[in-house]
């Protein structure tokens, strides 16, 4: 006797996800514009109108933010160089602990652009390209090597003093400005690398995210701890394979009971694609309950807003570097290399403070 199939009538969530991704990317663009105006002010040596530096730009400094968070946990103090970066990093970590790599598919602007390029590629070629398994595994390990390098350098080589020296260093204070010039005065080599990544993303979906992003690697590892997972009910499943086909991360959703994968981004494409009611759903392992799709999107945004909101409301959002100090840093930053020692850093900061 065949299975009685109850049709899945739940509305797809992808439109809402697209909306949230677009809104977050627009917010990042707005922050970028504000930062550009701030740089113009610095370049004019204070002659142009002053624009506040947007603290949100620190979200693009993950290494410094990770060190700030480590410094906070080991000393109880919030370092004042990039405090917003620390709160943004913490928010992303919490999102991942709760909903897996949801940051990648709901909020990350790079993930969003990657996805749009992948969609374009699929429309253009009317097919999905997949790398041979061994090559895919080999390339996927690259992002873990990069993550391992950063984790080893920060947690195993540096002690609290060395971390503080780095965070205090002029190099770290202007890391966001250096990042701006990296893109504004981009070298031919960097341009070639970025163009190659974009080109490859047309064929291999999320090339950067899947193979190279150390941030994604970290979130993927944390996602194993998430209590909310995609679950398939093998009793009502009709083995149509639509979920696996819809998965942008090439996970064989139709072959497992619970999706436990560092590549799952909680995008819910598989849940949307499933034609049978309540067969594929996000379930809380703790509450043993189904979590409605909309709640995932709302919760991801809420967790992010609450954690960054705490930073804002407690006065730990803007750093304490004055515009005069920024003007000095900007005029001298060409000589800033990686910090070489605490004494050098302390002397420099003292000289800036003395001047203002
Ligand atoms: S398993 Fe489902 S939620 Fe996870 S990446 Fe694939 S489609 Fe998205
Ligand atoms: S989409 Fe996946 S979970 Fe849903 S019925 Fe088909 S194979 Fe089963």
């Amino acid at each position: 006797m065949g299975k009685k199939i109850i049709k899945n009538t739940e509305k797809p969530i992808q439109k809402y996800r697209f909306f949230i991704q677009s809104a977050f990317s627009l917010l990042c663009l707005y922050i970028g514009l504000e930062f550009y105006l701030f740089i113009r002010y610095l370049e004019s040596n204070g002659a142009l109108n002053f624009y506040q530096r947007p603290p949100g730009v620190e979200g693009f400094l993950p290494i410094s933010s990770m060190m700030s968070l480590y410094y906070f946990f080991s000393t109880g103090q919030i370092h004042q160089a990039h405090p917003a970066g620390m709160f943004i990093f913490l928010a992303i970590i919490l999102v991942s602990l709760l909903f897996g790599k949801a940051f990648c598919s709901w909020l990350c602007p790079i993930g969003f652009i990657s996805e749009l390029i992948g969609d374009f590629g699929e429309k253009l070629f009317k097919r999905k390209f997949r790398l041979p398994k061994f090559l895919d595994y080999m390339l996927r390990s690259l992002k873990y090597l990069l993550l391992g390098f950063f984790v080893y350098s920060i947690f195993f080589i540096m002690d609290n003093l060395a971390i503080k020296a780095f965070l205090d260093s002029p190099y770290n204070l202007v890391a966001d400005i250096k990042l701006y010039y990296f893109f504004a005065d981009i070298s031919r080599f960097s341009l070639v690398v970025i163009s190659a990544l974009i080109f490859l993303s047309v064929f291999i979906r999320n090339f950067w995210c899947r193979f190279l992003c150390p941030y994604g690697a970290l979130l993927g590892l944390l996602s194993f701890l998430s209590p909310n997972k995609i679950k398939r009910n093998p009793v009502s499943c009709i083995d149509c394979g639509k979920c696996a086909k819809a998965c942008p991360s090439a996970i064989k959703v139709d072959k497992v009971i619970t999706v436990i994968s560092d590549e799952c981004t909680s995008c819910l494409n598989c849940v949307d694609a499933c034609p049978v009611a309540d067969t594929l759903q996000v379930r809380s392992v703790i509450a043993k309950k189904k979590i409605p799709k909309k709640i995932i999107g709302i919760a991801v945004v809420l967790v992010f807003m609450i954690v960054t909101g705490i930073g804002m409301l407690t006065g730990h959002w803007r750093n304490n570097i004055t515009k005069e100090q920024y003007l000095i840093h900007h005029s001298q930053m060409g000589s800033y290399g990686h910090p070489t020692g605490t004494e050098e850093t302390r002397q420099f900061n003292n000289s800036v403070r003395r001047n203002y």
Side-chain angles (χ1 to χ4, degrees):
M1 210 170 73
K3 281 182 188 176
K4 187 169 182 261
I5 300 168
I6 303 172
K7 206 170 164 255
N8 180 9
T9 52
E10 223 184 329
K11 279 198 179 136
I13 194 76
Q14 299 309 315
K15 250 196 250 161
Y16 294 95
R17 194 167 69 84
F18 182 81
F19 174 75
I20 291 173
Q21 286 175 302
S22 307
F24 202 77
S25 295
L26 284 176
L27 176 66
C28 291
L29 268 182
Y30 179 70
I31 288 171
L33 177 66
E34 279 192 316
F35 194 59
Y36 166 74
L37 294 172
F38 170 69
I39 300 270
R40 289 282 312 273
Y41 164 78
L42 296 181
E43 285 175 341
S44 74
N45 209 11
L48 287 177
N49 273 347
F50 172 62
Y51 280 92
Q52 286 271 16
R53 171 185 167 280
V57 78
E58 293 166 20
F60 293 91
L61 305 174
I63 306 297
S64 175
S65 305
M66 181 156 76
M67 289 169 95
S68 290
L69 190 61
Y70 178 67
Y71 182 72
F72 172 66
F73 282 132
S74 52
T75 66
Q77 289 167 17
I78 295 176
H79 194 275
Q80 276 310 303
H82 300 303
M86 189 198 83
F87 279 97
I88 293 169
F89 188 74
L90 181 61
I92 295 170
I93 297 284
L94 285 180
V95 166
S96 309
L97 285 172
L98 288 171
F99 301 105
K101 262 170 88 173
F103 172 76
C104 301
S105 69
W106 288 84
L107 298 178
C108 178
I110 312 284
F112 183 43
I113 293 170
S114 236
E115 204 176 315
L116 293 179
I117 298 173
D119 289 347
F120 168 75
E122 270 176 36
K123 278 213 176 94
L124 192 66
F125 299 110
K126 300 201 170 27
R127 58 165 290 195
K128 291 180 185 179
F129 294 94
R130 299 259 196 252
L131 290 179
K133 246 188 188 169
F134 79 94
L135 189 57
D136 185 61
Y137 275 122
M138 257 171 51
L139 291 175
R140 272 163 59 190
S141 64
L142 289 178
K143 61 179 185 283
Y144 290 102
L145 288 177
L146 285 170
L147 175 68
F149 168 74
F150 290 126
V151 168
Y152 179 71
S153 310
I154 295 171
F155 297 104
F156 292 89
I157 292 189
M158 297 172 92
D159 57 11
N160 272 348
L161 264 183
I163 287 194
K164 185 166 185 328
F166 177 86
L167 293 173
D168 285 344
S169 69
Y171 179 88
N172 181 46
L173 300 188
V174 297
D176 47 353
I177 305 176
K178 280 192 176 269
L179 186 66
Y180 169 87
Y181 283 116
F182 173 82
F183 288 105
D185 299 333
I186 195 157
S187 67
R188 189 173 294 182
F189 175 74
S190 305
L191 198 61
V192 168
V193 171
I194 292 173
S195 308
L197 286 173
I198 293 174
F199 179 73
L200 289 167
S201 302
V202 176
F203 300 94
I204 310 293
R205 193 170 257 279
N206 299 335
F207 191 91
W208 163 259
C209 312
R210 190 170 178 86
F211 301 130
L212 294 168
C213 179
Y215 217 144
L218 174 68
L219 306 187
L221 291 179
L222 293 174
S223 74
F224 287 119
L225 302 173
S226 161
N228 305 308
K229 303 254 186 262
I230 310 265
K231 285 209 164 247
R232 185 178 64 94
N233 179 353
V235 178
S236 55
C237 174
I238 55 169
D239 295 315
C240 67
K242 287 188 177 170
C243 47
K245 209 171 158 205
C247 177
S249 302
I251 297 169
K252 293 192 166 41
V253 188
D254 55 337
K255 301 282 183 265
V256 295
I257 303 290
T258 306
V259 173
I260 302 174
S261 166
D262 57 332
E263 294 300 332
C264 175
T265 60
S266 303
C267 67
L268 304 180
N269 271 305
C270 55
V271 182
D272 279 348
C274 180
V276 189
D278 290 334
T279 296
L280 204 57
Q281 46 192 230
V282 182
R283 289 190 74 85
S284 161
V285 178
I286 295 171
K288 300 204 181 332
K289 262 187 174 170
K290 169 183 172 178
I291 304 179
K293 292 188 280 189
K294 262 190 199 165
I295 298 292
I296 307 279
I298 294 170
V300 166
V301 174
L302 264 186
V303 170
F304 192 86
M305 283 173 63
I306 288 171
V307 178
T308 49
I310 289 173
M312 291 174 199
L313 293 174
T314 56
H316 294 296
W317 191 245
R318 286 192 181 282
N319 66 19
N320 57 8
I321 306 169
T322 63
K323 60 182 180 184
E324 290 81 9
Q325 286 171 329
Y326 265 122
L327 282 170
I328 294 185
H329 281 305
H330 184 260
S331 66
Q332 301 189 358
M333 61 181 270
S335 63
Y336 295 175
H338 275 279
T340 52
T342 48
E343 191 52 24
E344 182 194 40
T345 302
R346 198 177 55 76
Q347 278 174 7
F348 179 87
N349 287 339
N350 285 344
S351 83
V352 170
R353 277 189 208 106
R354 266 199 305 279
N355 283 332
Y356 288 92

